[in-house]
Amino acid sequence: MTKFVKGNEAVVIGAMYAGCDVYFGYPITPASEIAHAAARWFPSVGREFLQAECETASINMVYGAAAAGRLALTATSGPGMSLMQEGLSYMAGADLPGVVVNIMRAGPGLGNVYPEQGDYNQAVKGGGHGNYRCVVLAPASVQEMCDLTMRAFELSFKYLTPAIVLADGLLGQMMETLALPEREMPKPDTTSWAVHGTPETRGNLVVSIRPTALEQEAHNVRLQAKYAAMQVEAQHETYLCDDAELVLVAYGISSRIARTAAEALREQGVKAGVFRPLSLSPFPAPALCRTIEGRRALVVELSSGQFHDDVLLQIAKAGARYQPVGLCNRMGGMVVTVDEVVAAAKRELAGGAPGEPSGRLS
Amino acid sequence: MTQKKTVGMYESFVRSGQPTRATHYCAGCGHGIIHKLITEAMVELGLQDRTIIVNPIGCGVFGYYYCDCGNVGAAHGRAPAVGTAINRGRREAVVISYQGDGDLGAIGFNNTFQAASRGEHMAVFFVNNATYGMTGGQMAPTTLVGMKTTTSPFGRDPLTAGYPLHVCEVLNQLKAPVLIERVSVADTKRIMQARRAVRKALEIQRDGKGYAFVEFISPCPTNMGLDSIRAAIFCMEEMEREFPLGCMRDNSATAVPRAPVAPAPGVEAFFAQSERQHQAPVAEADEAFKEQRLKFTGFGGQGILSLGICVAEAARLEKRFTTWFPSYGPEQRGGSAACSVVVSGKPIGSPAVDRPDVLVCMNQPSYERFAPDVRPGGLVIVDASVPLTMPAPAGVRVVSMPAIDLSLRLGVPQAANTMMLAALAWLEVTGLRSEHLLAALDASFKKKPALVEKNRLLFSEATAWLERHVPAEVRG
């Protein structure tokens, strides 16, 4: 069964097939169609939709639903995502699952509603207080808006930690053919830790408080071990990389532009490929190192170099030899064009000082 | 109270790993009494297994040490949001939101107000001791005028710090709450009334009748700077003057229990039944097909976005890969509209069309903005109302067609986009077959079947106009 839908609508379809019980959300462009679709479809299948009074409420509702052992979804964009950071920290601290979709827009501040990827650090590095990070998945198509929303629920409940689907205004607003999932995912059993208001869950307790430093440290050590264990879930995709002399490294919508740019470069005789992480946390660092080793690499992103910084960090942490990685980026809602990527790639191949950004920084 | 066996509480309280019978509350504090009243009513009403207490930030944060039921800790002020979700997710659960005055009246007041306004199914127990207890005796929204606290060291000055917040009175302006009552735990007589109010609030939850709010005037000897007796007297004399006790609303007798959830189809059945009309064949790879990148531009209301969807739908019917990306946000509401469509024989990279092969322009600003970007060998279809103030790039063909005028003369002014679709078909620039473009046009009116024939007529009128006025060599 296929359906021609917006990326934002595909998120809701994915959530429904994941078995999501409740949606809480506050409207914000360019994420609002997620709330619109949830408002139409959730009650139609006997599930709960509630328009919250603010994003602070939305995320704490996700927290509450998760505490009650339910699968909950909320969606927002930059300003709302900032408001949700405290709640995400509480969820991480209380080992609670739940999915937040961020349809990124341009910032900082009010910015505008056009596509950007400037919330990378906030999502990937744990934007709230304390030692935590979330599962962060980066779809690049309408199909993946659905599929990775499902995967976000799966990983979130497997590791009992919040998961973020990090997309942008372009992915949210664009329409593509979606092949609907074949069947609904089985519901996770939450009886051992959640409060259901039943005799068997009466003794369960969901809190993020650890009153003594000793307990809190032990909790933190356990959380870090959990994040390390998540590493096996890292996912990536390569396109035309086998014989590539230059690898474009990009996630989300930027990887789509990179894909077209790689094709254009090959038409012009440049062997280009694309490396794309599907999971930003955990980051597929070994695969990235293997793919770009001995080749030139160019990061394509719609932000200030946040992703570029992380690529360098991930290479270094993986113990790979340092190599320069170029940067081709736009910001503010300006979407980097295929022509710009092609030009930056050629500059990168032509040399330039190691590590010198080859694209525009302003 | 003291002689009676405590029910609904754990036999011993495990605090920092050590079992004890003492709570962490100071002597003369009201919290312990309120906990007892709640757990006692919970057990007597047979609700213990169903009860989930949402514990706040503040002195009540450790309520889970004592209350033998499901327990959740909420962020500061967010207990109403957390409680809302618990009950929305578990309708059989009896949800209690236990909050202090800073938590409820300051940082979380909007969450409280909105949950009350929605009539969420929860009992809210609000402990008003006129100060922040755990944080160190700071001024609360309920601190009395003139009262000294660590953040009002010269006494609360209403000119700079405002007046004490009357939460019950504010909530009493809302329609949804079933019960709103202010009680006190400062002496035995008052505790007996508080006990009745707690019981009523939980009965309302048991019966599924809605939102119940009980405020407790409660002594805090430590931060009031008084001994237990004097703190209780302060509550009865000073605080009750500001916050009079009493029941402001009790609609529990007339409130209607909520209806059970109606049965609904599963997700698979729902999409299978309601979305069948969206079926289209799955795209197939076809290396021979030349990727087409199209841009549609004009004013909002000219059907620009739906024209793009129509082309994308035709591509789907023809088993092509396709993407559609619209302008959105204030740009759209400001009058201009644009969308990009890519049609391809392989999975599509960028859905953004920077260099269109085909540009459709329904207004002058769009022509001036986008015509220079059209690829050599590309085509611009422009409405005849648009003055060609600048030449198209070298190697780009321009077809000017009176789509708006034709649609006006045929009495369907909204259908200029259908004329443009006909132009795309006749000029053979989409790489798609006319039958699929027509089928997509029909599908776009599936909710208004009367318009299908009308638009087919317009389509053929436009085709006839093109036959008469445009040289055939422009095609393809």
Side-chain angles (χ1 to χ4, degrees), chain A residues 1-4 6 13 16-17 22 24 29-30 40-41 43-54 56-57 60-65 67-70 86 90 113-115 169-170 173-178 180 182-184 190 195-199 201-207 209 211-212 215 239 253 256-257 259-260 263 335-339, chain B residues 10 16 48-52 55 57 61-62 64-65 68-76 78 80-86 88-93 110-112 114-115 118 120 261-262 264-268 270-272 275 278-282 291 293 309 312-313 316 322-326 328-331 333 346-352 354-355:
Chain A
M1 191 157 50
T2 67
K3 195 164 156 53
F4 193 58
K6 285 192 166 193
I13 293 172
M16 289 166 77
Y17 277 89
V22 277
F24 306 103
T29 308
R40 272 199 318 274
W41 295 337
S44 304
V45 294
R47 301 184 189 181
E48 197 72 17
F49 168 87
L50 176 61
Q51 181 167 331
E53 60 267 32
C54 58
T56 309
N60 282 284
M61 288 172 181
V62 171
Y63 177 104
R70 293 303 194 193
E86 183 203 29
Y90 271 73
V113 300
Y114 305 117
L170 211 165
Q173 295 295 325
M174 71 181 281
M175 290 178 91
E176 271 182 313
T177 299
L178 170 72
L180 268 68
E182 284 188 5
R183 63 186 61 83
E184 198 179 326
T190 61
V195 286
H196 297 174
T198 56
T201 62
R202 194 175 98 191
N204 288 348
L205 170 66
V206 179
V207 290
I209 190 172
T212 68
E215 288 170 87
Y239 179 61
I253 194 63
R256 298 281 295 259
I257 297 159
R259 186 184 174 102
T260 302
E263 290 166 359
V335 176
V336 69
T337 65
V338 171
D339 290 353
Chain B
Y10 293 114
S16 303
Q48 186 170 13
D49 286 339
R50 290 170 55 193
T51 299
I52 298 169
N55 298 275
I57 306 294
V61 69
F62 295 122
Y64 62 86
Y65 284 163
D68 182 2
C69 57
N71 278 282
V72 176
H76 199 200
R78 310 306 164 208
V82 173
T84 290
I86 292 173
R88 298 254 177 170
R90 302 271 173 199
R91 286 166 64 108
E92 290 308 306
N110 189 41
N111 297 128
T112 293
Q114 301 288 343
R118 292 191 301 262
E120 295 295 342
V261 181
V267 172
E268 290 149 47
F270 171 70
F271 282 112
E275 309 296 336
H278 291 276
Q279 282 295 333
V282 176
E291 187 168 284
R293 304 183 82 85
I309 289 181
E313 192 65 38
R316 271 162 47 79
T322 187
T323 60
W324 173 89
F325 172 59
Y328 61 90
E331 181 186 311
R333 282 183 281 278
K346 61 181 182 195
I348 294 165
S350 175
D354 316 314
R355 306 287 311 277

Side-chain angles (χ1 to χ4, degrees), chain A residues 268-328:
Chain A
Q268 297 171 35
V270 177
K271 287 178 183 166
V274 181
F275 179 91
R276 159 171 104 88
L278 276 78
S279 61
L280 300 172
S281 168
F283 196 94
L288 174 67
C289 294
R290 277 197 308 277
T291 307
I292 66 171
E293 191 185 2
R295 295 161 171 170
R296 302 305 293 252
L298 176 70
V299 163
V300 182
E301 65 175 272
L302 302 182
S303 48
S304 61
Q306 296 180 35
F307 179 59
H308 180 254
D309 286 349
D310 210 23
V311 164
L312 292 174
L313 179 67
Q314 295 291 347
I315 294 170
K317 282 177 74 176
R321 201 164 60 85
Y322 172 79
Q323 68 176 92
V325 175
L327 171 66
C328 175

Side-chain angles (χ1 to χ4, degrees), chain A residues 7-256:
Chain A
N8 281 342
E9 294 168 317
V11 163
V12 180
I13 293 172
M16 289 166 77
Y17 277 89
C20 178
D21 301 291
V22 277
Y23 180 92
F24 306 103
Y26 187 82
I28 184 168
T29 308
S32 293
E33 290 84 0
I34 299 178
H36 301 172
R40 272 199 318 274
W41 295 337
F42 266 54
S44 304
V45 294
R47 301 184 189 181
E48 197 72 17
F49 168 87
L50 176 61
Q51 181 167 331
E53 60 267 32
C54 58
E55 289 88 348
T56 309
S58 301
I59 193 68
N60 282 284
M61 288 172 181
V62 171
Y63 177 104
R70 293 303 194 193
L71 283 74
L73 174 73
T74 187
T76 187
S77 187
M81 198 64 191
S82 294
L83 283 173
M84 291 186 185
Q85 294 307 319
E86 183 203 29
L88 281 166
S89 170
Y90 271 73
M91 287 177 71
D95 296 292
L96 284 179
V99 175
V100 180
V101 179
N102 181 1
I103 305 298
M104 288 184 281
R105 54 189 264 177
L110 188 56
N112 63 47
V113 300
Y114 305 117
E116 216 193 51
Q117 295 180 313
D119 303 348
Y120 181 88
N121 283 342
Q122 183 194 53
V124 172
K125 305 297 178 183
H129 58 286
N131 304 301
Y132 80 96
R133 59 192 177 94
C134 300
V135 170
V136 184
L137 305 181
S141 65
V142 168
Q143 186 68 49
E144 286 184 355
M145 292 290 269
C146 170
D147 296 350
L148 292 191
T149 299
M150 292 178 79
R151 172 105 175 125
F153 273 106
E154 184 194 333
L155 293 179
S156 180
F157 274 79
K158 182 172 176 183
Y159 291 97
L160 299 182
T161 200
I164 295 169
V165 176
L166 192 66
D168 65 88
L170 211 165
L171 279 169
Q173 295 295 325
M174 71 181 281
M175 290 178 91
E176 271 182 313
T177 299
L178 170 72
L180 268 68
E182 284 188 5
R183 63 186 61 83
E184 198 179 326
M185 278 163 41
K187 292 264 187 197
D189 181 5
T190 61
T191 316
S192 65
W193 55 267
V195 286
H196 297 174
T198 56
E200 58 271 29
T201 62
R202 194 175 98 191
N204 288 348
L205 170 66
V206 179
V207 290
S208 64
I209 190 172
R210 302 290 183 285
T212 68
L214 206 59
E215 288 170 87
Q216 186 64 48
E217 187 186 50
H219 182 49
N220 267 295
V221 167
R222 204 176 50 72
L223 286 178
Q224 296 307 312
K226 175 159 86 174
Y227 303 146
M230 281 173 2
Q231 190 59 40
V232 297
E233 311 289 353
Q235 275 183 302
H236 73 283
E237 187 186 84
T238 55
Y239 179 61
L240 306 178
C241 280
D242 288 350
D243 63 343
E245 54 191 312
L246 173 92
V247 177
L248 302 170
V249 183
Y251 73 93
I253 194 63
S254 300
S255 73
R256 298 281 295 259

Side-chain angles (χ1 to χ4, degrees), chain B residues 284-321:
Chain B
E284 288 173 4
D286 178 3
E287 286 295 325
F289 184 85
K290 185 182 169 298
E291 187 168 284
Q292 294 292 318
R293 304 183 82 85
L294 304 95
K295 195 156 193 123
F296 302 90
T297 62
F299 288 123
Q302 286 179 325
I304 296 296
L305 302 187
S306 51
L307 175 59
I309 289 181
C310 206
V311 172
E313 192 65 38
R316 271 162 47 79
L317 294 172
E318 204 158 318
K319 301 183 185 176
R320 302 299 177 200
F321 295 88

